[in-house]
Every structure is written in C-alpha cells, then in structure tokens.
Amino acid sequence: MILPIIAYGDPVLRKVGVEITAAYPDLEMLITNMQETMENAQGVGLAAPQIGKAIRLFLIDASPFAEDPDLSKEEQTILSNFKHIFINATIVKSEGEEWAFNEGCLSIPDIREDVFRQETITIEYQDETFKKHTQTLSGLAARVFQHEYDHIEGILFTDKLSSLKKRLLKKKLDNISKGKINADYRMRFPNAKKR
Ligand SMILES: [Zn+2]
C-alpha cells in the first residue's frame, strides 16, 4: 500500500525516533508499505518519520545513482547493491573531508540545494531480521545514509543550509507545508486548509 508522504512543517519530522524491537506491531507490513511508497515516489531513501512514525527505521535503494556515467565502475557497483533496511542505526565514526552534493527530499518537493556531508562513515544497524551489521560507507552511499539518518534524528537537509539560503527558501517551505505544491506522489500537508 502506498502511504502519503508527510510534508515539511509537520512536527513528526522533528521528533527524535525511538528504537524498535522485533515486537513492533506489523513491522513486516510497514516495511513493505514503505518500500512501495519509496518506489512510487522514485526516492532513493525513505525514513519512518516521513510516513508519520517517529521510530528508528529507514530504507535506502541507491541503485538509481549507479547509472551515473561520471562515477567510477567501483562506485557504480557499490551503489547498485546498496539497497537495505536500516533499523536502530547509529554512526560510530565519521572521517574524511566534507563535500557538497545537490540533495532533495521527498518531504520537501521541488527544492534542491548543495549540502555538505562527511566523506566516510562507519555505521552499525540491524536488518529486518534484527541481525546486527557494521559497515563502512563512502561517497554517495555515505551521503544517502547520512540524509536518512538525519530524518530519524529530526533533522532535515534544509537545516544544514546557510542562514541566507534558509531566508530565501522560507516562503517556498511555507507553501510546501500548506500543500501549495505539485508533487507527483501522495502527500499529507500539515498546514493545508481543510475543505
Ligand atoms: Zn529526506
């Protein structure tokens, strides 16, 4: 089932997600629905707060990035296989130079901005069977992970922009929260006028 994606301005996007256990109600169904929702919106990642649940769960499918001909063969291979479910994820180490990349977010349609993020991170997480994993990520995989991880910490990519950029975007962000936007997927807007 395709779930509506929660738009910018909803308080659920600002909550720090809580850890979950295998006893979380209907978890399998929730993950399936989130996968369908992400695919339908052509996203490379989707975090639980974006469908209204403040829990530490997000999905990534970075395979669309693998088609970028400017990337090395090695990075293309990594990205085409970077498709996982991340439960109770943590970043245990960050290293390397911060670099900028033009990011977007399914909760903030039509806005794309350069965001600086750490080059290499070491992460720990549990998969959908609650098996623990430790992994080191670099480049775009590390970037997508950090974007989704921020969601379960209540942080959005627009928070990371300069104060000037934030001022310039304010009106556009207000309009998104009111539903004055055309997204080609289902959304729920916190400040939409009731009809
Ligand atoms: Zn996002």
Side-chain angles (χ1 to χ4, degrees):
M1 187 174 71
I2 292 164
L3 306 167
I5 293 176
I6 311 290
Y8 181 93
D10 192 298
V12 74
L13 296 176
R14 294 309 190 177
K15 287 194 179 142
V16 176
V18 295
E19 289 200 358
I20 59 167
T21 67
Y24 190 83
D26 300 320
L27 182 59
E28 212 175 307
M29 177 66 83
L30 174 64
I31 290 170
T32 305
N33 289 344
M34 283 178 67
Q35 276 164 335
E36 282 177 25
T37 303
M38 178 172 77
E39 241 168 72
N40 175 65
Q42 293 179 303
V44 292
L46 182 71
Q50 293 180 279
I51 50 94
K53 294 192 186 300
I55 55 173
R56 302 186 80 79
L57 161 67
F58 57 84
L59 320 176
I60 290 176
D61 177 0
S63 59
F65 282 135
E67 280 143 46
D68 183 346
D70 293 338
L71 297 173
S72 67
K73 270 273 168 302
E74 192 194 356
E75 190 161 15
Q76 284 178 349
T77 308
I78 290 169
L79 290 169
S80 65
N81 296 312
F82 194 55
K83 189 173 177 176
H84 300 287
I85 292 148
F86 296 93
I87 295 172
N88 302 330
T90 53
I91 297 175
V92 292
K93 198 168 140 193
S94 304
E95 50 205 317
E97 294 267 312
E98 288 200 343
W99 62 292
F101 183 81
N102 205 244
E103 289 189 21
C105 179
L106 294 177
S107 294
I108 315 175
D110 273 6
I111 294 183
R112 298 197 69 89
E113 293 292 340
D114 282 352
V115 179
F116 280 88
R117 294 195 190 271
Q118 209 78 43
E119 165 66 22
T120 302
I121 53 171
T122 301
I123 61 165
E124 285 177 0
Y125 67 96
Q126 288 162 280
D127 64 22
E128 64 275 29
T129 67
F130 284 81
K131 188 173 178 276
K132 280 191 180 167
H133 299 265
T134 304
Q135 215 179 330
T136 298
L137 306 173
S138 289
L140 273 173
R143 170 166 301 271
V144 180
F145 183 94
Q146 288 172 87
H147 178 114
E148 297 311 322
Y149 179 81
D150 274 353
H151 274 300
I152 63 167
E153 290 286 311
I155 300 166
L156 300 169
F157 82 88
T158 47
D159 300 346
K160 298 186 165 307
L161 306 174
S162 69
S163 47
L164 172 65
K165 261 277 149 58
K166 281 182 198 156
R167 276 205 300 280
L168 293 172
L169 286 174
K170 193 175 180 305
K171 181 83 189 145
K172 234 176 153 181
L173 290 168
D174 282 347
N175 282 340
I176 291 173
S177 75
K178 290 175 185 157
K180 292 182 187 166
I181 190 93
N182 287 314
D184 44 17
Y185 44 86
R186 255 180 99 197
M187 291 194 80
R188 203 178 81 199
F189 303 98
N191 301 327
K193 286 225 174 68
K194 300 255 179 339
R195 273 177 289 181

